[in-house]
Amino acid sequence: MVAVQEERSAAVSAPVRAGSHKRIEWVDVAKGLCMMLVVLGHTLPYGNLLRNFIFSFHMPLFFFLTGYTARLPDSWSAFARRVRKDFVGLIVPVLGVVQVFNVLLNYALADDKSLASLWEIARYNALTLFWASGNPADGIPSCGMPWFLFAMFWGKLIWEALAVAFPKGSFALSMIVALFGAYIGQVRYLPQCLDVAMLVVLYLALGHWFRGLQEVLEQFRIPLLLAMVVPWAWCCQAGIYIELASRTYENFILCALESVCGIWIFCQLCRELSANLALRRFFSFWGRHSLWLFFVHHMDVFTAPLWQGDNLVLTCLRRFALDLLLTVLLLGSWTLLRQMLRRTANRS
């Protein structure tokens, strides 16, 4: 019994020093479970109560956790290295994998196989990347789910630049930038999803701030949890939530507060789940490979005939199963390919 209690305590409460490279297990659990909720949320119909709960925190959570685990650069040279790393990790996969695959697959499915048709498909995809919008509006095309990666890239760039330029006042400036982004998003969409990226700065800064207050928040964990449940539940049942992709946050302050409540509650749930070894291993695996599941989910529109149906429960289960299976197959293939390349390099 003592060993089990110690394992649970280590899983849910052990702080990780700033600057440590050790992964935080409950954070991986949160990413894995939340990515599965993204799949579920995109399958449920508008107005569904469970969808409202999921959308109240699901994408902001990823930005919050990024800020929670981030180490801010302390110089412009460190900032430049971070930007290069984020570009390779976030933007290159979109340019080199998703969009190339999009162009080739759409061309293969098109009736017109001329070079003019290929050029038009490539041009349209380039236009979607220029705007990087999650939803179409006023002649602006949608790039689909990759909006998230562009918003993450530019949001991190803005947040880290503020930290280097104004180390003492970056948190307050982050709040101002977020308010400006919320206003712009209701008036005009900016290229590269920059108006949403300004909102991302809010969640990055809050995640980092919460990490700094970890010991204090731990003392008031239960009262905070109880204080947040009621307003979060009320907003969700009323259909009030923040939806970054479609810029749905007319009452931004209320939506932002609700999302923070949802994030906090979900994080506490994941801390408890991580105390169970089997659940921790399962969800943390998907958390570590959430980007793979993200890309598969983005492309599963092409496999819709395999999972869509009249029964909503069966539709959700089929989509889950298919996305997880394809992710495992792709991840396994990539792992084997890397091993083969390493062996070839070692022999030469």
Side-chain angles (χ1 to χ4, degrees), residues 82-155:
R82 190 71 58 81
V83 171
R84 287 194 295 270
K85 179 182 178 181
D86 288 341
F87 183 83
V88 171
L90 298 172
I91 304 303
V92 169
V94 177
L95 300 177
V97 180
V98 176
Q99 290 306 315
V100 170
F101 185 78
N102 267 344
V103 171
L104 295 179
L105 186 56
N106 279 287
Y107 179 68
L109 297 175
D111 294 329
D112 185 359
K113 294 298 191 295
S114 65
L115 288 178
S117 174
L118 177 61
W119 168 254
E120 183 60 27
I121 293 172
R123 187 195 66 80
Y124 179 80
N125 274 270
L127 185 62
T128 66
L129 288 182
F130 172 76
W131 288 103
S133 178
N135 275 41
D138 300 327
I140 297 174
S142 168
C143 72
M145 288 182 63
W147 73 266
F148 165 80
L149 299 178
F150 285 93
M152 177 74 84
F153 173 76
W154 290 110

Side-chain angles (χ1 to χ4, degrees), residues 67-68 159 171 203-214 217:
Y68 187 89
W159 178 54
F171 183 82
Y203 294 104
L204 293 169
L206 285 175
H208 197 71
W209 184 60
F210 271 55
R211 179 67 176 276
L213 295 175
Q214 180 173 281
L217 294 174

Side-chain angles (χ1 to χ4, degrees), residues 208-228:
H208 197 71
W209 184 60
F210 271 55
R211 179 67 176 276
L213 295 175
Q214 180 173 281
E215 293 184 2
V216 176
L217 294 174
E218 191 65 28
Q219 297 175 12
F220 302 97
R221 182 185 177 196
I222 301 302
L224 279 173
L225 189 63
L226 295 175
M228 290 179 175

Side-chain angles (χ1 to χ4, degrees), residues 160-197:
E160 290 172 347
L162 288 175
V164 176
F166 307 98
K168 299 297 183 180
S170 62
F171 183 82
L173 289 173
S174 295
M175 300 302 106
I176 295 173
V177 167
L179 289 172
F180 181 70
Y183 167 74
I184 291 295
Q186 301 304 300
V187 177
R188 182 184 301 276
Y189 286 13
L190 295 183
Q192 291 289 285
C193 210
L194 280 172
D195 55 299
V196 177

Side-chain angles (χ1 to χ4, degrees), residues 293-345:
L293 181 55
F294 175 88
F295 284 136
V296 169
H297 178 52
H298 168 63
M299 304 307 298
D300 70 7
V301 63
F302 295 107
T303 60
L306 297 177
W307 52 262
Q308 283 182 336
D310 296 329
N311 187 298
L312 181 59
V313 174
L314 292 179
T315 295
C316 292
L317 291 175
R318 284 193 295 263
R319 193 175 194 180
F320 263 128
L322 185 62
D323 281 10
L324 295 183
L325 176 61
L326 290 177
T327 303
V328 169
L329 291 175
L330 286 175
L331 182 58
S333 300
W334 173 246
T335 302
L336 290 175
L337 178 60
R338 290 179 62 186
Q339 290 177 351
M340 292 173 58
L341 292 175
R342 286 174 181 171
R343 290 172 184 170
T344 303

Side-chain angles (χ1 to χ4, degrees), residues 26-71:
W26 73 259
V27 171
D28 283 333
V29 168
K31 290 180 179 179
L33 179 55
C34 191
M35 191 60 231
M36 293 181 182
L37 291 180
V38 169
V39 177
L40 178 60
H42 289 163
T43 311
L44 296 172
Y46 282 91
N48 182 282
L49 182 59
L50 180 56
R51 183 185 186 276
N52 291 353
F53 275 96
I54 293 172
F55 270 68
S56 70
F57 68 86
H58 72 325
M59 301 315 288
L61 174 79
F62 288 106
F63 303 126
F64 179 91
L65 292 178
T66 298
Y68 187 89
T69 57
R71 292 176 298 160

